Amino acid sequence: MPPWLSPITRPLLLAALLLAGAAQADEAGSKHLAPGFTARPAGSKLVVIPADMELYSISAGGVVEPRADWTESAQKNMGTALEAQRKLLGPDVTTMDAAAADELAEVITLEQAVAKAIAMHHRNGGMELQTKSRQLDWSMGDAVRALKERTGADYALFTWVRDTYASSERKMAMLALALMGAISVGGEQVAHASLVDLNTGRVVWFNQVSRLWGDLRDPGTATETVEVLLKDFPALK
């Protein structure tokens, strides 16, 4: 601290800095949670919905092409990574199979629409909705009833992932452009996850990831992606 601070002023300033840091941390945590929601009740049941996931390759010319083989591998890696988070998710967790998810496609599609709106308006500083007062105040309403009746769960975890990777030809093209002073973008990882209360329809937790690295094709980095995606996930209490 500056030497000109008096012995009385220094402790006061230190206390103020600590309080400001704590308030900032609380605000960051509350950004992920719905108003009034802090934790899941002990004994509550969670169902994990199959991830809506697509992986793509970027050609030398910048054309984005879907890769079903990469997506299949990434689904397995993400499933394994989620299973490793059992302590965080809780003891009473089930994973919905693809057939059941297909039967509940309307509910899942609605959740995707709500989640995309949250990603755009809640976590995006330039497009926040004033009516939401910067709070995670979103709901699926009675539409979750079918999911509740089908699974008996109290909460549902939804995930959405889009990963793009530069092909070898694309990397060579990027290098050539860089030598000419031009900047081009390679791959990108965009994902979000939401926790929905199946008793009320409220989205009680939400997080998103948007970055230029991360590879779900690799089990190790898939684990890291899931850990980042589940940041501040509500614990059981």
Side-chain angles (χ1 to χ4, degrees), residues 84-224:
Q85 295 294 322
R86 177 72 65 166
K87 183 177 180 180
L88 174 64
L89 298 178
D92 198 354
V93 181
T94 58
T95 300
M96 178 176 287
D97 58 42
D102 288 342
E103 294 177 10
L104 293 165
E106 289 187 10
V107 179
I108 296 174
T109 299
L110 173 61
E111 188 282 331
Q112 291 172 359
V114 173
K116 288 178 181 178
I118 296 173
M120 179 178 295
H121 298 296
H122 178 63
R123 301 304 304 277
N124 190 331
M127 301 185 68
E128 290 181 343
L129 298 178
Q130 293 185 356
T131 54
K132 299 294 184 182
S133 300
R134 295 188 175 183
Q135 295 184 325
L136 183 62
D137 184 18
W138 301 78
S139 176
M140 294 177 61
D142 293 337
V144 300
R145 186 176 302 167
L147 185 54
K148 171 72 175 180
E149 293 174 352
R150 177 65 179 264
T151 65
D154 300 293
Y155 297 92
L157 174 62
F158 297 84
T159 51
W160 180 93
V161 182
R162 294 295 183 270
D163 270 12
T164 54
Y165 306 92
S167 64
S168 299
E169 295 79 9
R170 175 65 175 174
K171 292 177 181 178
M172 292 297 294
M174 290 170 61
L175 178 59
L177 289 170
L179 292 174
M180 293 186 291
I183 299 176
S184 57
V185 178
E188 182 182 17
Q189 182 175 83
V190 180
H192 53 68
S194 56
L195 182 69
V196 178
D197 186 334
L198 298 184
N199 297 301
T200 65
R202 279 209 313 165
V203 178
V204 294
W205 169 86
F206 182 85
N207 190 32
Q208 69 184 78
V209 174
S210 181
R211 57 190 188 176
L212 299 178
W213 67 92
D215 191 344
L216 288 172
R217 300 170 299 179
D218 177 77
T221 52
T223 297
E224 185 271 342

